[in-house]
Amino acid sequence: MKKAGKIILIVIAVILVLQGVAIAWMYFARRVKPNTVLSLRIEGEIPEQGPQDSFRDLLAGPTTTVTDITEAIDRARTDPHITGLEVRVSETTMNMAKIQEIRDRIHAFNHSGKFSVGYLEFATDRSYYLASACQTVFLLPTSELYVRGLMASTTFLRGTFDKLGIYPDFFHIGEYKNASNTFTEKKYTAAHREATQALLDDWYHEFLRGVAASRDLKTEDVEKTIAAGPFNSAAAPATHLVDRVAYWDEVRKFVEQKNHGHDRRINLHTYLNKTGVDSGTRVAVIYATGTILPGRSGDSPLGDEMMGSDTIAEQFRRAREDHAVKAVILRVDSPGGAAFASEVIRHELELTKQTKPVVVSMSDVAASGGYWIAMSANRIVAQPGTITGSIGVLTGKFNILGLYEKLGLSKDFIATTENSTLDYPFQKFKPAQRELVMRDMRAIYTDFLQGVAAGRHMKVEDVDRIAQGRVWTGERAKQLGLVDELGGLHTAIARARELAKIPADEKVSLLSLPPRRSLLDRLLDFSGDNDAFDGTLSPRAWLRNLESLARYPVWAILPGVPEVQ
């Protein structure tokens, strides 16, 4: 054990030396050469924040976040040494709002008088929508412009549960609160279909308008073209959706010509490291991502993000106590979660708002509990394609007695009270229990309505009319009063500056919270020298969380977001 401790200390010492060398190198090399092109590669899922586990970055390289991309493009927009932008787009799993976030910054870059080039090896609706924001769009020869419109689908599990002998005993408040429909139904209900159709129609119209504006075409012409798709690369230029077909080396030569003969590029992370703003005035950005649960944030054993109410509350307290922080932005990308955990976070936002302004910036999803934690902010900013609303609650449990019987197992129990079996997973809710749970759900739904009414300066009855568990796009949510303004994180930063009365010419730095844990911190965890390590991210800890889900009486969650293709 002593030998292992010495090895860890040696590794820590080496890391400290390397970090010192890296800082010194960055100090002397912190300069971007003239006539440089910012080169981006966008593919796969782009998260809102990087992993807290620095070992992952050490093994796979630095994680690229949405903020990294938009911040780099925005710095390049005003950087006299950056002359252009090239964006190589592969297939991405980002949803509408994140793509719009990046498109907005590319459009702002275009308006600076600099050039932008997008390159697609294979163009799907998502990847094309992103690349189309560039002034010039190239497509690989012998490929496809595989745009053909959007569709939404939902997987329903009721038939499987019936075969397994599992009964989903769920109920909800709100006609459109369809989160549990995936468990209780075999196809869309009328309300579920109506809400999903409206969501898909809004997204498609935003897609068409965005492409039309970027390509200087009429929306109706783009709609006709998309309806006739997909197209092979030979036919693609005739659609006016792309400019040329070319291989990557040919695109590089085109960029070099646009860059006055200079073949000089800089990648995203190198550029961010060279151009960071160092200012005493700060705006804190708290990243609230994943399903909302009590405790600490982290990843589930399956890799899903979990937002711990303790972690986010701690970040609000940290921002409140930091005198250099003049405003706070809550960046939300969450389908909701446990209602009481959502309230813990909202309360901390309310306390913070008493001392400094709080602006919410909504990413792909800010619905149900994700909207609950946002409703009390000074201002709410969302992208047109953000899934928002779903003001409603649900609860339930799975009765797995039938499954046990199929397996030849049996259960028996002894209880002290009638309600001791409330979350017992081997029987349905009894009528009296159902009424008890419905009473609690009605109380929490009322709290939700009143919280929205207070935060959005509306009447409770008006909130109820647009609530009922209904999901809206950010564009419709603005029309209904649930959102103040359409835009991304940069719009939220601008509003935070205004509310905090930060002079327009004063530079500010962004403080990202929760902060990334360095490799040194991780090594200290393993060496036992860091008392802050509580093991909450271990599989065993998350299994305990999962086992306790049935004990959370009411949920404000939206797991039924349709899969869009």
Side-chain angles (χ1 to χ4, degrees):
M1 192 67 185
K2 290 182 179 180
K3 185 176 181 181
K6 289 181 179 179
I7 293 174
I8 290 175
L9 290 175
I10 292 172
V11 172
I12 292 173
V14 171
I15 290 173
L16 289 173
V17 171
L18 291 176
Q19 285 181 338
V21 171
I23 292 171
W25 182 87
M26 286 174 57
Y27 178 80
F28 290 106
R30 198 179 177 88
R31 184 172 177 271
V32 178
K33 295 180 180 180
N35 297 110
T36 296
V37 173
L38 177 61
S39 182
L40 305 180
R41 179 70 183 261
I42 300 177
E43 60 185 338
E45 174 61 31
I46 309 295
E48 281 295 331
Q49 63 180 140
Q52 296 299 300
D53 185 353
S54 53
F55 279 122
R56 191 180 305 177
D57 277 359
L58 181 66
L59 296 174
T63 299
T64 299
T65 67
V66 175
T67 303
D68 288 337
I69 295 172
T70 57
E71 183 66 17
I73 296 173
D74 208 54
R75 290 183 195 176
R77 177 177 59 87
T78 57
D79 188 337
H81 297 121
I82 298 295
T83 51
L85 172 70
E86 65 177 25
V87 187
R88 193 171 181 176
V89 185
S90 299
E91 177 55 7
T92 176
T93 54
M94 288 188 292
N95 285 325
M96 183 66 73
K98 284 182 182 176
I99 295 176
Q100 289 174 332
E101 187 94 15
I102 298 171
R103 278 176 53 87
D104 286 349
R105 304 328 302 160
I106 294 176
H107 280 306
F109 183 92
N110 293 340
H111 291 153
S112 69
K114 302 177 182 183
F115 70 88
S116 61
V117 176
Y119 180 68
L120 293 153
E121 290 185 347
F122 184 83
T124 62
D125 291 301
R126 277 190 176 93
S127 61
Y128 175 73
Y129 183 50
L130 176 52
S132 68
C134 295
Q135 294 165 345
T136 308
V137 180
F138 287 86
L139 177 67
L140 176 73
T142 68
S143 182
E144 282 197 79
L145 181 61
Y146 202 70
V147 292
R148 75 273 188 216
L150 306 181
M151 67 161 287
S153 64
T154 300
T155 299
F156 294 93
L157 303 175
R158 181 58 187 270
T160 300
F161 289 151
D162 289 346
K163 290 180 181 296
L164 293 175
I166 299 174
Y167 180 77
D169 198 8
F170 285 80
F171 33 101
H172 57 264
I173 291 182
E175 181 184 0
Y176 294 91
K177 192 66 178 177
N178 56 49
S180 58
N181 285 14
T182 56
F183 306 139
T184 60
E185 306 294 333
K186 294 183 178 180
K187 61 180 182 179
Y188 289 118
T189 62
H192 194 173
R193 180 176 293 277
E194 178 189 344
T196 303
Q197 183 70 59
L199 195 66
L200 189 66
D201 288 345
D202 282 357
W203 279 340
Y204 190 47
H205 291 149
E206 289 160 18
F207 172 84
L208 295 173
R209 287 196 301 266
V211 171
S214 297
R215 302 297 299 168
D216 195 22
L217 299 169
K218 293 181 179 179
T219 302
E220 55 268 29
D221 291 340
V222 174
E223 185 172 14
K224 291 177 183 177
T225 300
I226 297 295
F231 309 91
N232 61 37
S233 55
T239 67
H240 303 294
L241 298 181
V242 302
D243 296 288
R244 291 169 52 184
V245 294
Y247 293 99
W248 178 237
D249 61 295
E250 296 172 323
V251 175
R252 287 178 65 94
K253 289 180 182 178
F254 175 84
V255 171
E256 185 178 338
Q257 292 171 358
K258 295 284 289 185
N259 197 29
H260 311 294
H262 296 280
D263 185 17
R264 186 176 294 135
R265 289 170 171 78
I266 189 169
N267 66 41
L268 181 144
H269 290 287
T270 301
Y271 183 68
L272 288 175
N273 288 335
K274 285 178 177 285
T275 59
V277 177
D278 187 12
S279 169
T281 301
R282 292 178 171 182
V283 171
V285 181
I286 300 175
Y287 288 91
T289 60
T291 303
I292 304 170
L293 292 171
R296 310 292 298 177
S297 297
D299 291 341
S300 76
L302 298 177
D304 297 324
E305 287 184 292
M306 301 289 185
M307 184 200 314
S309 57
D310 288 352
T311 297
I312 304 303
E314 181 182 302
Q315 307 318 310
F316 271 114
R317 289 192 290 271
R318 178 172 179 167
R320 283 202 302 273
E321 295 167 2
D322 189 337
H323 297 297
V325 171
K326 303 303 181 183
V328 178
I329 294 171
L330 182 66
R331 176 71 173 176
V332 182
D333 191 15
S334 172
F340 71 93
S342 302
E343 174 60 15
V344 168
I345 296 172
R346 189 210 63 82
H347 179 65
E348 289 294 334
L349 183 152
E350 187 76 52
L351 292 176
T352 305
K353 196 173 72 168
Q354 295 173 11
T355 60
K356 53 193 69 175
V358 180
V359 177
V360 165
S361 172
M362 294 179 169
S363 182
D364 273 339
V365 182
S368 209
Y371 189 81
W372 187 307
I373 67 176
M375 61 188 180
S376 300
N378 293 99
R379 288 188 72 83
I380 298 177
V381 179
Q383 286 289 356
T386 299
I387 298 174
T388 188
S390 192
I391 301 167
V393 294
L394 62 88
T395 194
K397 65 179 179 180
F398 293 102
N399 177 5
I400 60 175
L401 180 61
L403 175 61
Y404 266 49
E405 290 175 344
K406 287 178 181 291
L407 297 174
L409 300 172
S410 59
K411 292 286 292 188
D412 202 356
F413 68 91
I414 299 173
T416 58
T417 67
E418 190 70 19
N419 289 330
S420 296
T421 61
L422 196 63
D423 56 6
Y424 186 58
F426 297 96
Q427 67 177 27
K428 297 179 183 179
F429 288 106
K430 297 178 180 179
Q433 291 176 334
R434 178 178 288 266
E435 180 53 38
L436 177 66
V437 175
M438 286 297 295
R439 182 196 66 190
D440 290 344
M441 289 177 64
R442 284 190 289 268
I444 292 178
Y445 181 61
T446 298
D447 289 342
F448 204 165
L449 295 178
Q450 291 174 344
V452 174
R456 307 305 304 151
H457 308 293
M458 300 169 67
K459 295 180 180 179
V460 173
E461 54 269 29
D462 291 337
V463 176
D464 190 30
R465 276 193 289 271
I466 60 175
Q468 296 294 319
R470 178 76 180 263
V471 293
W472 308 96
T473 59
E475 187 168 17
R476 292 208 190 198
K478 180 180 181 299
Q479 297 169 5
L480 296 170
L482 297 177
V483 166
D484 293 298
E485 188 174 356
L486 297 179
L489 180 59
H490 282 74
T491 301
I493 293 171
R495 297 302 161 263
R497 290 180 63 119
E498 291 173 3
L499 291 171
K501 295 181 172 57
I502 300 174
D505 59 349
E506 183 176 339
K507 291 185 176 181
V508 299
S509 57
L510 300 183
L511 174 64
S512 296
L513 300 174
R516 296 287 297 278
R517 301 176 70 229
S518 69
L519 184 58
L520 177 60
D521 290 333
R522 297 292 295 177
L523 286 170
L524 288 173
D525 292 341
F526 286 117
S527 68
D529 294 334
N530 190 344
D531 294 335
F533 180 66
D534 57 11
T536 55
L537 303 185
S538 68
R540 179 179 296 180
W542 278 114
L543 284 174
R544 287 199 299 269
N545 276 346
L546 293 174
E547 290 170 357
S548 66
L549 295 189
R551 294 197 295 273
Y552 301 158
V554 180
W555 286 82
I557 195 166
L558 176 76
V561 177
E563 179 182 351
V564 177
Q565 300 172 339

